[in-house]
Amino acid sequence: GDSVTQMEGPVTLSEEAFLTINCTYTATGYPSLFWYVQYPGEGLQLLLKATKADDKGSNKGFEATYRKETTSFHLEKGSVQVSDSAVYFCALTFNNAGNMLTFGGGTRLMVKP
Amino acid sequence: DGGITQSPKYLFRKEGQNVTLSCEQNLNHDAMYWYRQDPGQGLRLIYYSQIVNDFQKGDIAEGYSVSREKKESFPLTVTSAQKNPTAFYLCASSIDVMNTEAFFGQGTRLTVV
């Protein structure tokens, strides 16, 4: 079946450091890929998405590129802030299967001032 | 403002009691979903509904029940048959099953003692 694998956290960085959170997937076909962010005690918010190979999703300084050849969708940000501290989830879905998102296990990011 | 409202935010119940979690949306979305989140883990799909008066089991439906009598509402009942009900429950909706962007509520943390 389809699956998403994320690097385990927590990831602890100092403010203004460079962030990479790895995400790889296993799926038959070409899914749409997402990053969701969950702030403490809250639900998930869509951060960015990419629907086909080589697409780059971006939002709030975060970026991720859909790499078909490596089946990856790594999340990056050039300079993190304390307010970026949250749990980040990578997810995939196929449109023709309905919106049944398959999530990775989540990666907690802690940014220290 | 349009959105998804889950209530209550925190819920405590005694073991052996059924409990119902509320989810309401005013986004005019056809599809609604319930996910369960356990500490340090990703989200797992419990039930989903593509349209009023229809719903389907997800990956971990045992011990749960739902109804979809109105488009706006998708309540989840955690029954006494659920062996490990303490978790964070997230409701989501999307325009329809072919739409990839899901909007999430703030979640309900259920603790069974």
Side-chain angles (χ1 to χ4, degrees):
Chain A
D2 303 332
S3 66
V4 177
T5 302
Q6 294 180 230
M7 60 189 293
E8 289 192 20
V11 173
T12 303
L13 296 173
S14 298
E15 207 164 20
E16 299 184 3
F18 185 86
L19 168 71
T20 299
I21 299 178
N22 290 338
C23 170
T24 57
Y25 67 89
T26 302
T28 50
Y30 303 108
S32 295
L33 300 173
F34 304 82
W35 276 101
Y36 280 84
V37 58
Q38 183 179 35
Y39 297 103
E42 298 189 6
L44 276 65
Q45 301 174 27
L46 179 65
L47 182 59
L48 53 85
K49 67 179 181 181
T51 57
K52 61 183 187 296
D54 299 326
D55 269 2
K56 177 184 282 188
S58 61
N59 185 27
K60 300 180 180 179
F62 291 89
E63 292 183 340
T65 301
Y66 190 145
R67 301 289 188 196
K68 184 179 67 174
E69 63 277 11
T70 55
T71 61
S72 65
F73 193 54
H74 304 323
L75 182 69
E76 297 182 336
K77 187 175 185 182
S79 176
V80 293
Q81 305 300 312
V82 173
S83 58
D84 294 326
S85 298
V87 180
Y88 292 82
F89 290 94
C90 187
L92 66 81
T93 189
F94 289 93
N95 285 356
N96 59 3
N99 195 13
M100 259 48 79
L101 288 159
T102 298
F103 287 88
T107 302
R108 181 176 298 279
L109 170 66
M110 299 170 60
V111 180
K112 297 185 175 181
Chain B
D1 287 336
I4 300 179
T5 302
Q6 290 185 241
S7 61
K9 192 172 177 69
Y10 300 96
L11 189 55
F12 295 86
R13 279 294 181 269
K14 290 184 178 180
E15 194 171 343
Q17 290 182 334
N18 291 357
V19 59
T20 297
L21 282 60
S22 169
C23 178
E24 304 278 332
Q25 55 98 358
N26 60 3
L27 299 168
N28 200 33
H29 285 174
D30 281 328
M32 296 187 74
Y33 315 82
W34 274 105
Y35 291 89
R36 170 182 172 135
Q37 184 180 21
D38 292 286
Q41 297 189 30
L43 278 67
R44 293 181 289 170
L45 183 66
I46 304 172
Y47 267 98
Y48 64 98
S49 168
Q50 301 182 25
I51 200 166
V52 175
N53 293 322
D54 175 76
F55 49 84
Q56 306 293 330
K57 292 182 179 180
D59 299 321
I60 54 165
E62 185 174 352
Y64 299 97
S65 66
V66 294
S67 63
R68 187 84 187 277
E69 297 176 0
K70 299 186 300 182
K71 188 175 187 178
E72 303 79 22
S73 179
F74 191 42
L76 173 74
T77 297
V78 184
T79 75
S80 57
Q82 168 52 234
K83 299 303 180 188
N84 187 19
T86 294
F88 191 52
Y89 291 88
L90 286 160
C91 180
S93 72
S94 62
I95 292 174
D96 55 43
V97 290
M98 299 302 290
N99 191 285
T100 56
E101 182 166 350
F103 294 80
F104 283 80
Q106 297 294 295
T108 293
R109 185 167 300 282
L110 172 64
T111 303
V112 176
V113 296

